Amino acid sequence: METKLKSCGKFRCNEKLEKQKKVSAKVIMNMVIDNVNKDDGRPVVPLANGDPSVFPSFRTAIQAENAIVDSVRSAKFNNYAPIVGTLQARRAIAEYLSCDLPYQLSPDNVYVTAGGKHAIEVAVTVLAAPGANFLLPRPGFQRYEDHAAFCGLEVRYFDLLPERAWEVDLDAVEKLADENTAAIVIINPGNSCGNLYTYQHLNKIAETARELGIIVISDEVYGHITFGSNPFVPMGIFGSIVPVMTLGSLSKRWLVPGWRLGWLVMCDPAGKLKESRLDICLQRYLGLCAEPATFVQAAVPHILEKTTKEFHSRIIDLLKENAEICYDSISEIACFTCPTKPEASMFVMVKLNLLLLEDIGDDMEFCLKLAKEECVVTLPGCSVGLKNWLRITFACEPSFLADGLERMKTFCHRHAKKQPTITA
């Protein structure tokens, strides 16, 4: 007997998702990957995203692996975790971050999240008061814009200045902010530019934010991944000048993005954020979210305390070597311009000179054709806010990186605009 289904005419999708104009960087990256020629026998070189964990040289520390195994085998962490995170994980994260600060963080300042992206979602959502706006960097990380749009927040963009090592254009920030501005987002070390802010520049950002009466959301997911002349300086150092919400995770420094363990930390020794009841809002929103796995939280103290300096140094040395390979190769390609050599994170931004190329109209077309012809995947700059630029990651095996860059050089030579022949 056939059962006739009733009409679903009253069913409607969420219009905010359905009408979202921009697609995420991950969707764009998948579009580029789908354009790879499946009949090409060469291996695909992934120079688009910051997840080198698939490469043997970028395997996480044995101490981190053992901590997870011990946690699971103990059978003590199969239960639900508190909505703000386990006390042991929050205490360990507070101790880890306090090593770089002039004051001591408390576990009560720490909120454990399901990775860095979840921390972004939480930070944006709890500050999404009616009529509020956010100041976001360009280029930046689109996840902020995505969540702001979903929450009905207006976003306003300030440029990062390539001629000044991608520093924040603070004059533009002052002009963009108004009485409804809630926060400014900075990403340090830089995703997507491979830059690192100095103490002096961060101090200027803090002073500017204080004058404007806004808080700073400091995305430090790539914290301590630095290999230039400047050290990593956490924005929380300036927490006595302006309240700071620091976002971080295990994903990049420990090379385990799939473990989904991040944090949001209130670096605010004066307690201004608590006076605004931000802690209550954080707890209530986290109560609506899925918690990070309890067994991963249980492993956090051992991971943060026992991972050796040798592990971190080896990864930094590898990234430094790769950054130099990448920068030197890019310098040999006529249609590429790289404003500064990367000194942090896993990326570099490269400007395209389309006047030197035939039959390529923009950065998206460049990436699609490169994938099809050379099996190299890069991210078009339009996905991070800079049209006709490329974001290239150098976090992979050095030989793999060199091969991918050589293929890019071949591609650019093939599509180079032919010079007119001068006859006598």
Side-chain angles (χ1 to χ4, degrees), residues 131-184:
N133 64 72
F134 268 43
L135 306 184
L136 301 182
R138 181 173 53 203
F141 188 51
Q142 193 183 328
R143 187 61 60 121
Y144 289 95
E145 179 184 354
D146 294 341
H147 283 300
F150 194 72
C151 292
L153 279 169
E154 178 192 356
V155 295
R156 302 176 181 181
Y157 294 99
F158 58 88
D159 288 328
L160 304 183
L161 305 172
E163 68 276 12
R164 286 173 24 195
W166 301 102
E167 286 187 345
V168 173
D169 185 346
L170 291 173
D171 291 335
V173 167
E174 292 178 353
K175 294 175 183 177
L176 288 168
D178 61 19
E179 66 277 5
N180 293 318
T181 303
I184 179 174

Side-chain angles (χ1 to χ4, degrees), residues 14 53 63 76 102 110 137 221 282 289-290 307 319 386 391 419:
N14 187 323
S53 61
Q63 295 83 5
K76 295 179 180 179
V110 179
V221 166
L282 285 166
C289 303
T307 300
L319 287 171
L386 276 189
R391 191 191 77 171
Q419 298 298 321

